[in-house]
Each structure stands twice: as structure tokens, then as C-alpha cells.
Amino acid sequence: MAGEINEGSVPAYYREVYEAVCCRTDERVQVEVFQRLLQRTDLPKAVLGQIAEHVDFTDGFLSKLSFYKALALIALAQQGKQPSPKLLENCIQELPKPQLGETKDLSILRMQPAQEDVLVVSQTLDKLLVIDTVQVELIPEKKGLFLKHVEYQITSQRYKVSVYRRYSDFDVFHEVLLQRFSYRVVPALPPKRMLKGVLTSISEREFIEGRRRALARFINLVARHPIFSEDELVKTFLTFSGSDVQIKLRDTYKKTGDEFMTNRIATQAKEYLPSDIQAQFSTSRELIRNIHNSFQKLRDRAEKMAERSKENATDLLMFGRELSALGSDGSSLPALASPQSTWGTLRQSLKSLSVEFAVLSDKAAQQGRREEDDVVEKLNLFLDLLQSYRDLCERHEKGVLHEHQRALHKYSVMKRQMMSATVQPKEQASVEQLESRIVQQENAIQTMELRNYFSLFCLHQETQLIFTYLPITSHILGAFVNSQVQGHREMGEVWNELQPKLGCLFGGNNGLKTSI
């Protein structure tokens, strides 16, 4: 085009339309938004196609000048003229005004892609799981009857590094993570010490192992979170090998502040929320509460099955030992015993059976460990996430929402005091002081309202995260079925090997075909 559009010469209406539909985070207009704008013109499809042909765009966006050119072409077409760049050259000094209605109504065209791009968490479970896998291993500092101090070796697959952490390091990390991301699902930490009465049911070593597993679940959920995983706090915890990681973590948080201060859309969160956000939240919360309850029951049953496998291992071992003890009895047979009795021979043969039962016991113990590691742990991981979601819902209601309501109440009290001060003569200084406090309170309320909307925005995203994790159900079921198939196959092989040995020991029918 010989005569290019100059930004300084475009009519005010052009600028208003551009401001209404351009990206908040970019000085360009999305092609999808431009296409929706074309639909508002009521021009024939063929004409719309001609306009689109003459508009330049890159990476799905129109530059500001390309958009102005498009508006001029729309105006020409609405006048019944051919929307061509050649015709546009003749009116470059005085661009025609397109008929698009009130500019304030055009901002709705921008909202749809904003919701798609910002509010929706476009993740899959597989994508989340490959972000990182973190191993947490115990390194006892003191060996003996009780472990006084425990250190953990933390190995991140993503950063290819191992660091050493104590429980107190996890504690500080959890604290600053919660301060930075108070509107997100931050999993809880396991308790540092055994609660009173716990020693009666489990040993200290079992408690420490249980805590190690819980810390591993915590750090993996955090390391795989789409927001946390890219934050400096998490990277610091997983990679910093200096002498005091706690100071480093606190300094890292001080430099950034909480998410509301750093998230680019925090103050515009209200724009991206659907109108029925509260109804959606209530429905999702109830559904997730029911899912949580069901998964707790599944976990309890899986734990019982794993426990039964371990008990089965003990029983099989003891059964074999008793057979061995029976066979080791060297007492001579009394004269009353029938001369035809084979007990003496059989007794000697029973000793060897304890070996087979020890193998069976080992297989049952392996089965218990598989059920615990592959099934119970996966259930516990998802339960930790579900519980942290419920905690987040409570924080939203008791935290920012409650503070907002309290601030509004305080503001209404101040306004009443101000009205009273204007009716009854008071010192000018005290009235001005009250006015100043009211302005401060108005600013505080405005900030709280913004935080409340941002909290809802985050809650909406975290709800999606829970649903993204739901297919973990198939992983859990797969692990459960595989553990049973493997366990039964291995046990079956040992039982099958044992059966012919019984035939050699006890004769042809090996005690199986004769009813007693």
C-alpha cells in the first residue's frame, strides 16, 4: 500500500475500539477477537473474506496499525465500496468511521480468549507427573535403639542434584510456601514428633518411616504443581547446598512477596471469572468432598489388605516352624504304636517343609510391601492433595473473605462516626483525622476486594488441578491389580512346587484325595 496509515492521523473512535479489544498483556489484537469483531458488522461472508485477505497478522495477532487498516476496510465495505487497499489510499488523510456500536460494549469480545488462556489450567496428569520426581531417603545421624536426629537426602530428577535437609528445613519451607501461595493448595506436613499414645501402637522407627513417606508425598506434590514448580522457592529448596537453607528460603520470599504482588493478572482477576463462579465453586467443593470421603475408605481397605499380607507372611513362617519343630521331636515311639505306623519316617520328612513355608512367607511379605508401596502410597498422595484443597477452601472463607467482611463493618462504623461529627460540631483536626482514616479504610477495602477475587480465581484453577489429578484412579487400580496378579502367581508357583513333594513324602494321594 503506497500510503501507510499513520497512528497520529487515526480518528479517536479507532483508538477507542483498539483499547476495548486489544490484549491486556500485549499491544496487539488476537485474530480470534478480530474475527468476532467482523461478525458484528453484519457484512456478507464474501466481503468479510476480502477484508481478512488484506489484513496482515503474525503468530495469531494483528499489530495496532494492521488493526486500524482493518477498521478502515470495514468502514469502506459498510459504505458499499470495495474493501481494497487501493481504494483506501484515496482516503488515507480522513479515514472513514466503521459502524460497530458503542466501544464500551466491545470489550466483551476480548473476554472469551482471556478466560481460555488465563483461567483454564491446560494440563494433563501425565504432564504433571513428568515435571519432577523427588526421592526422599533417610540418613540417620545416630544409630542405636532410638534415632535422635534424622537427616534426609533429597534427590530431584529435574535438577539432577541431591541435597540434605532436616525436618526443620521442611517446616520453614512449608511456612514460606504458605505465605507466598496462600491462595493455592499447599499440602500439610506430617507431625514432627509422635503424639501421646502413638508409641503404644507403633514403634519410633515405624513413625520415622511413615514421616519420611509423608515428606516424600509433600515434596512431590509441590514439585509437580504447575505454579510452584516454576517458583524460585521450590528451586531453592531442591538445589541449594549452602550451610543455612532456612535463611536462604526466607530471603527468597522477602524478595518476591506473596503471589498477589507478583501475578500479572492479580488485579484484573474479576474480569476473568465467570458470572456463576460461586455456584461452580459450591458444586465442585461438594463433589470433591464426596470424592475425598470415598478415597479415604479405599485407602483404609488397601491398608488392611497390605496388613493382612504381612500377617499371612508371619503365619506361614510360624506354620513352617511348627512343622519343623514337630519333625525335630526325637522321642521314640511307644510300644502301643502300630508296627505299621509310618510316623517315624514322616516325622523326619516334616523338617524340610519349613524351607518351603519360609519361601511362601517371603512371597507374602513381598506382596504386602507391594500393596503398601504401589497402592496405599498412591492413595495417600491423592488424599494429601484432596485434604489440602479442603484446607484451601477453609482459608478462603475464614481468611480473605472474613477479613473483607470485617473491613466493611469497620468502614460502616467510621462512616457513622463521620456523619455524627458533621451533625455535632467537633474540632477540625479530629474530623480531618477521621476523614484520613476513612480514605485509608477505603483503600484497604479495595485491596481486599481485589485479593478476594484473586483468591476465587486461584481457587477456580486449583479446583481444575484436582480434576486433572483424578485419573490417578486408573494408576491406583492398575497398581492394585498388578500387585495381586504378581503376588498370586508367585505364591501359586511355590505351592505348585510344594505339592509333588508332599506326594513323595506321604504316598500317592499326598493327603489330598482321602476325606477324613
Side-chain angles (χ1 to χ4, degrees):
M1 191 168 115
E4 286 294 336
I5 292 176
N6 187 303
E7 190 176 345
S9 65
V10 300
Y13 183 75
Y14 277 47
R15 292 195 189 90
E16 288 169 13
V17 173
Y18 165 76
E19 289 295 334
V21 300
C22 75
C23 259
R24 285 283 186 186
T25 56
D26 199 315
E27 291 190 348
R28 298 179 298 172
V29 176
Q30 286 181 297
V31 168
E32 293 92 335
V33 177
F34 173 60
Q35 287 169 343
R36 280 198 283 278
L37 184 72
L38 286 177
Q39 298 303 317
R40 288 176 68 99
T41 62
D42 294 327
L43 290 167
K45 279 188 179 180
V47 176
L48 294 180
Q50 290 174 340
I51 293 171
E53 278 178 24
H54 298 309
V55 177
D56 302 320
F57 62 89
T58 52
D59 301 327
F61 286 91
L62 281 75
S63 68
K64 189 187 289 187
L65 292 179
S66 288
F67 182 68
Y68 288 155
K69 176 184 173 183
L71 291 181
L73 293 172
I74 289 170
L76 289 174
Q78 287 177 330
Q79 292 172 7
K81 299 173 182 175
Q82 183 72 17
S84 68
K86 190 171 181 61
L87 185 61
L88 195 57
E89 290 177 26
N90 300 327
C91 52
I92 202 74
Q93 297 304 318
E94 191 176 346
L95 294 170
K97 181 181 177 181
Q99 303 302 313
L100 300 168
E102 293 288 326
T103 52
K104 61 178 171 45
D105 297 332
L106 296 178
S107 59
I108 191 68
L109 300 175
R110 192 189 66 231
M111 295 304 290
Q112 191 175 339
Q115 286 182 15
E116 289 170 0
D117 294 343
V118 181
L119 188 62
V120 174
V121 178
S122 55
Q123 286 282 2
T124 63
L125 179 60
D126 290 341
K127 283 182 184 176
L128 291 177
L129 294 179
V130 298
I131 291 175
D132 200 357
T133 296
V134 185
Q135 300 292 335
V136 178
E137 300 299 335
L138 270 174
I139 304 175
E141 286 190 356
K142 292 184 180 179
K143 294 184 178 179
L145 185 61
F146 294 105
L147 297 171
K148 301 300 180 188
H149 299 286
V150 175
E151 200 171 17
Y152 303 93
Q153 183 179 36
I154 313 296
T155 307
S156 163
Q157 211 172 70
R158 179 183 183 182
Y159 294 109
K160 304 287 188 291
V161 67
S162 291
V163 292
Y164 298 92
R165 299 285 180 256
R166 288 195 173 181
Y167 180 88
S168 57
D169 300 328
F170 275 94
D171 199 26
V172 170
F173 175 56
H174 181 261
E175 177 194 323
V176 292
L177 195 67
L178 203 50
Q179 288 171 344
R180 172 132 174 75
F181 296 106
S182 56
Y183 308 134
R184 302 281 180 186
V185 287
V186 178
L189 282 183
K192 181 180 181 179
R193 294 183 181 85
M194 277 188 287
L195 304 171
K196 288 181 181 178
V198 172
L199 264 175
T200 58
S201 58
I202 63 169
S203 70
E204 184 172 358
R205 288 179 186 276
E206 284 177 312
F207 169 78
I208 289 171
E209 170 57 17
R211 189 176 64 186
R212 182 198 67 78
R213 286 173 178 265
L215 290 173
R217 296 195 301 269
F218 162 79
I219 195 62
N220 275 287
L221 284 172
V222 168
R224 292 166 179 167
H225 190 286
I227 304 294
F228 302 164
S229 61
E230 301 307 314
D231 195 73
E232 195 62 30
L233 269 178
V234 176
K235 185 178 179 181
T236 300
F237 185 79
L238 292 174
T239 62
F240 182 73
S241 56
S243 57
D244 200 334
V245 69
Q246 297 180 20
I247 293 173
K248 180 72 173 173
L249 286 167
R250 293 190 194 281
D251 287 346
T252 303
Y253 168 67
K254 282 176 188 172
K255 286 175 188 172
T256 54
D258 79 330
E259 189 188 6
F260 180 77
M261 306 301 291
T262 57
N263 193 301
R264 63 183 177 82
I265 60 97
T267 54
Q268 285 112 35
K270 183 181 179 181
E271 290 184 27
Y272 303 114
L273 293 172
S275 56
D276 63 341
I277 181 67
Q278 292 291 359
Q280 284 190 35
F281 169 49
S282 297
T283 305
S284 298
R285 187 179 184 181
E286 184 61 29
L287 176 59
I288 290 169
R289 185 187 289 119
N290 294 337
I291 289 169
H292 189 196
N293 292 337
S294 292
F295 268 88
Q296 277 183 318
K297 291 172 184 172
L298 287 171
R299 190 269 319 274
D300 292 346
R301 292 297 164 189
E303 277 184 339
K304 285 183 178 179
M305 283 188 271
E307 198 57 43
R308 277 202 298 273
S309 293
K310 291 178 189 175
E311 289 172 358
N312 190 29
T314 305
D315 291 340
L316 285 164
L317 189 65
M318 295 309 296
F319 192 90
R321 284 179 182 172
E322 288 302 327
L323 284 176
S324 182
L326 190 62
S328 300
D329 185 358
S331 306
S332 57
L333 290 173
L336 290 171
S338 166
Q340 285 81 30
S341 173
T342 57
W343 174 244
T345 312
L346 292 176
R347 191 169 60 182
Q348 294 299 315
S349 305
L350 291 175
K351 290 182 189 177
S352 63
L353 291 182
S354 63
V355 176
E356 271 75 18
F357 278 93
V359 174
L360 284 167
S361 171
D362 186 51
K363 296 296 182 188
Q366 287 176 25
Q367 171 72 359
R369 284 193 294 273
R370 269 195 301 269
E371 288 166 348
E372 200 169 62
D373 295 343
D374 299 343
V375 184
V376 176
E377 269 306 288
K378 282 187 173 71
L379 284 163
N380 275 328
L381 178 86
F382 190 44
L383 280 170
D384 287 352
L385 183 67
L386 290 169
Q387 183 57 53
S388 63
Y389 177 81
R390 292 180 75 163
D391 294 342
L392 173 63
C393 293
E394 283 190 25
R395 278 204 306 279
H396 172 72
E397 290 182 340
K398 293 180 180 176
V400 66
L401 205 59
H402 179 66
E403 286 173 15
H404 185 211
Q405 289 165 348
R406 199 168 54 186
L408 286 172
H409 174 70
K410 186 178 176 183
Y411 178 68
S412 66
V413 170
M414 285 182 179
K415 291 294 277 185
R416 283 199 297 272
Q417 288 174 346
M418 191 65 190
M419 287 173 67
S420 174
T422 54
V423 174
Q424 299 173 0
K426 288 193 175 184
E427 290 183 19
Q428 185 65 24
S430 65
V431 173
E432 287 177 359
Q433 193 178 23
L434 189 57
E435 283 179 342
S436 174
R437 284 174 57 207
I438 286 174
V439 170
Q440 286 177 355
Q441 190 65 9
E442 284 173 344
N443 291 336
I445 287 170
Q446 188 178 14
T447 302
M448 283 180 192
E449 282 178 350
L450 291 173
R451 279 187 174 274
N452 184 38
Y453 284 120
F454 184 59
S455 178
L456 270 173
F457 176 91
C458 294
L459 197 52
H460 196 70
Q461 288 192 325
E462 299 305 282
T463 303
Q464 294 172 65
L465 182 67
I466 300 297
F467 289 119
T468 303
Y469 258 98
L470 260 179
I472 202 171
T473 310
S474 61
H475 293 227
I476 294 164
L477 280 173
F480 176 63
V481 172
N482 289 339
S483 72
Q484 298 305 312
V485 168
Q486 187 175 348
H488 283 86
R489 187 183 67 242
E490 291 179 358
M491 293 281 282
E493 285 171 359
V494 182
W495 285 119
N496 284 330
E497 287 171 10
L498 182 59
Q499 194 174 12
K501 289 182 182 178
L502 293 181
C504 297
L505 290 171
F506 304 126
N509 64 21
N510 55 304
L512 299 176
K513 297 172 186 173
T514 305
S515 59
I516 294 171

